[in-house]
Amino acid sequence: MVNTTEQKKSIKIENVVASTAIGAKLDLNQVITVFEGAEYNKERFPGVVYRTTSPKTAALIFGSGKIVCTGAKSIADVYTGLTKVFDKIREMGTQITDQPEIKIQNIVASANLGRVLNLNAVAIGLGLENIEYEPEQFPGLVYRMSNPKVVMLLFGSGKIVITGGKKPEDAEAAVEKVVIELDGLGLL
């Protein structure tokens, strides 16, 4: 039986995407005057793009009052970045919900199994019902897990990308599960 500790230690959150709504409509032309360095080109994108530097995130601010935060490396960074956005919107004089609900939409993480994988053997071993593997189209194997509900991209190098999680523990559980499954098949 393989020890999953090393693989779980290699997990790194690459991006956290979250959404919220402030409960008020926004005049995006006013938003760009208050948000220093914000970008707004309604022909290219229907919202204002505002980047925070500490933490490094991007807020996509829409006239409807909906906001998407992307680029965060942790859930804490999402909350810190969005709090800065909420404060700036309040500075504009816009009344917003005291504590807007923030929903984590997607966490993208990476990990390293530390071993080269034979993706043909992995595809057959894990069962074709949850696997997409067409090496002439894409060099990775797509593994759709139901529990946790994530999609894993496995590469021959042993590197993996986990997407679709709602909490960091989803990536940990997925890595642990795939390591146990591959070890059970004699592929690790």
Side-chain angles (χ1 to χ4, degrees), residues 12-16 55-57 70-78 107-108:
K12 181 177 172 218
I13 293 178
E14 303 291 348
N15 186 18
V16 179
K56 198 170 176 191
T57 67
T70 185
K73 299 290 187 193
S74 70
I75 291 173
D77 285 356
V78 166
I107 295 178
V108 178

Side-chain angles (χ1 to χ4, degrees), residues 114-172:
R115 299 211 176 80
V116 172
L117 296 175
N118 176 340
L119 295 182
N120 288 317
V122 171
I124 293 162
L126 291 178
L128 300 174
E129 62 278 349
N130 301 321
I131 300 289
E132 288 174 42
Y133 182 51
E134 297 179 41
E136 52 290 330
Q137 302 281 313
F138 180 69
L141 178 143
V142 180
Y143 180 19
R144 296 180 193 288
M145 271 188 187
S146 53
N147 188 19
K149 192 168 174 31
V150 298
V151 175
M152 295 183 91
L153 305 175
L154 288 88
F155 297 92
S157 65
K159 296 216 168 37
I160 55 178
V161 175
I162 306 105
T163 185
K166 303 284 188 211
K167 51 192 188 298
E169 296 79 25
D170 290 343
E172 290 176 16

Side-chain angles (χ1 to χ4, degrees), residues 79-125:
Y79 280 83
T80 304
L82 282 174
T83 298
K84 289 180 178 188
V85 172
F86 299 153
D87 291 347
K88 283 212 174 284
I89 291 171
R90 287 184 183 106
E91 277 175 34
M92 289 175 16
T94 303
Q95 294 285 21
I96 69 171
T97 312
D98 277 348
Q99 292 291 331
E101 181 188 1
I102 297 171
K103 277 187 162 160
I104 303 301
Q105 300 294 338
N106 184 22
I107 295 178
V108 178
S110 64
N112 191 341
L113 297 176
R115 299 211 176 80
V116 172
L117 296 175
N118 176 340
L119 295 182
N120 288 317
V122 171
I124 293 162

Side-chain angles (χ1 to χ4, degrees), residues 30-95:
Q30 182 188 11
V31 169
I32 56 168
T33 65
V34 175
F35 284 76
E36 212 173 293
E39 299 165 22
Y40 182 44
N41 180 342
K42 63 182 165 205
E43 284 77 45
R44 285 191 35 215
F45 185 72
V48 169
V49 178
Y50 175 67
R51 290 176 176 81
T52 61
T53 52
S54 182
K56 198 170 176 191
T57 67
L60 312 175
I61 306 166
F62 300 95
S64 64
K66 291 197 163 106
I67 302 170
V68 174
C69 177
T70 185
K73 299 290 187 193
S74 70
I75 291 173
D77 285 356
V78 166
Y79 280 83
T80 304
L82 282 174
T83 298
K84 289 180 178 188
V85 172
F86 299 153
D87 291 347
K88 283 212 174 284
I89 291 171
R90 287 184 183 106
E91 277 175 34
M92 289 175 16
T94 303
Q95 294 285 21

